[in-house]
């Protein structure tokens, strides 16, 4: 699975960053995800660059391994959930510089907006009873891969709304059929409570090869009703 841009995984360094570039384009990003790599902005000697990651230990959420607590099931009923109706707003919420660990900059937001326009990036939105956007997530979809990028929730109006978006995404992907992979980049303690596990880089790349030929799901058909 050698990439024309990122080379042979066997030659990648023994850490999560496999490359750094000043260039950042749609072609590079699509090539990256198709080969198990994703971008995040960094500064090198004060200059903005793009780092390209392929974690040695990759976080994935098995679609049949999701943990949904009783309280989360009850929380789901509070929200209306949609897909691809407010992509730019979800990205903007995820990029809020006041959020702890915020990393999304203008280059990322602009390019992923372009990916969305091409049907390669998608969002899941949670709305409260007053039609306020209170949570959501976004990521890249290629074939049977959905690579989650970021999620958010409104701490006052949308407690657990990001979890609801994730659970709803899993429900949707399970219903789409075929071999699918939900990538969350890294396993965190928070994500582990939902069933996220770690797998080796090469195991991830093997799974990626298997799912890329799977037809992409029809995001326009994602129902707002709850089926879990």
């Amino acid at each position: 699975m050698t990439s024309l841009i990122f080379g042979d995984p066997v030659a990648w360094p023994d850490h999560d960053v496999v490359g750094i570039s000043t260039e950042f384009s749609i072609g590079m990003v699509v090539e990256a995800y198709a080969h198990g790599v994703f971008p995040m902005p960094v500064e090198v000697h004060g200059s903005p660059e793009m780092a390209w990651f392929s974690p040695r230990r990759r976080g994935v959420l098995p679609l049949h391994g999701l943990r949904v607590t009783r309280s989360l099931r009850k929380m789901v009923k509070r929200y209306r959930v949609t897909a691809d109706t407010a992509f730019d707003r979800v990205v903007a919420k995820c990029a809020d510089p006041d959020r702890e660990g915020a990393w999304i900059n203008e280059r990322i937001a602009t390019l992923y907006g372009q990916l969305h326009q091409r049907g390669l990036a998608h969002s899941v939105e949670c709305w409260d009873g007053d039609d306020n956007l209170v949570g959501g997530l976004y990521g890249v979809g290629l074939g049977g891969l959905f690579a989650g990028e970021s999620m958010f929730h409104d701490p006052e109006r949308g407690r657990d709304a990001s979890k609801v978006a994730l659970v709803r995404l899993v429900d949707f992907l399970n219903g789409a059929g075929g071999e699918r992979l939900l990538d969350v980049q890294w396993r965190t303690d928070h994500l582990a409570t939902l069933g996220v596990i770690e797998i080796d880089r090469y195991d991830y790349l093997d799974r990626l090869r298997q799912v890329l030929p799977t037809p992409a799901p029809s995001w326009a058909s994602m129902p707002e009703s709850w089926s879990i």
Side-chain angles (χ1 to χ4, degrees), residues 3-193:
S3 165
L4 294 176
I5 296 176
F6 300 98
D8 187 338
V10 174
W12 288 351
D14 190 25
H15 49 73
D16 290 358
V17 178
V18 300
I20 294 178
S21 71
T22 55
E23 182 182 353
F24 184 55
S25 66
I26 287 178
M28 287 186 72
V29 171
V30 173
E31 173 84 358
Y33 282 97
H35 291 84
V37 180
F38 59 87
M40 295 184 77
V42 295
E43 281 197 7
V44 179
H45 304 302
S47 175
E49 307 281 356
M50 201 61 63
W52 300 89
F53 290 81
S54 181
R56 292 171 298 172
R57 302 294 297 170
R58 193 77 165 232
V60 299
L61 178 55
L63 294 183
H64 294 288
L66 177 67
R67 299 172 187 163
V68 184
T69 64
R70 182 177 300 177
S71 61
L72 183 54
R73 287 179 185 273
K74 292 180 180 179
M75 193 67 66
V76 165
K77 299 177 182 179
R78 298 186 180 185
Y79 304 111
R80 178 173 62 91
V81 182
T82 58
D84 283 350
T85 64
F87 182 87
D88 290 340
R89 290 178 64 189
V90 169
V91 174
K93 293 282 189 180
C94 291
D96 184 349
D98 292 332
R99 295 182 64 209
E100 182 179 357
W103 59 272
I104 300 167
N105 63 13
E106 186 175 349
R107 292 180 81 194
I108 290 283
T110 298
L111 191 139
Y112 280 73
Q114 294 170 351
L115 288 173
H116 174 63
Q117 293 171 5
R118 298 186 182 202
L120 297 175
H122 304 279
S123 59
V124 178
E125 306 92 16
C126 283
W127 310 84
D128 68 10
D130 296 320
D131 276 340
N132 296 302
L133 179 63
V134 294
L137 60 84
Y138 80 96
V140 171
L142 293 179
L145 167 71
F146 185 82
E149 284 295 306
S150 188
M151 58 173 59
F152 84 96
H153 72 278
D154 184 316
E156 296 182 0
R157 296 177 173 175
R159 185 172 67 86
D160 287 335
S162 59
K163 291 183 181 179
V164 171
L166 180 62
V167 174
R168 189 65 188 84
L169 171 66
V170 171
D171 183 42
F172 170 63
L173 295 178
N174 270 323
E179 292 290 327
R180 301 195 180 274
L181 177 62
L182 178 49
D183 169 19
V184 299
Q185 300 179 345
W186 288 282
R187 176 187 178 275
T188 65
D189 291 342
H190 169 68
L191 290 175
T193 65

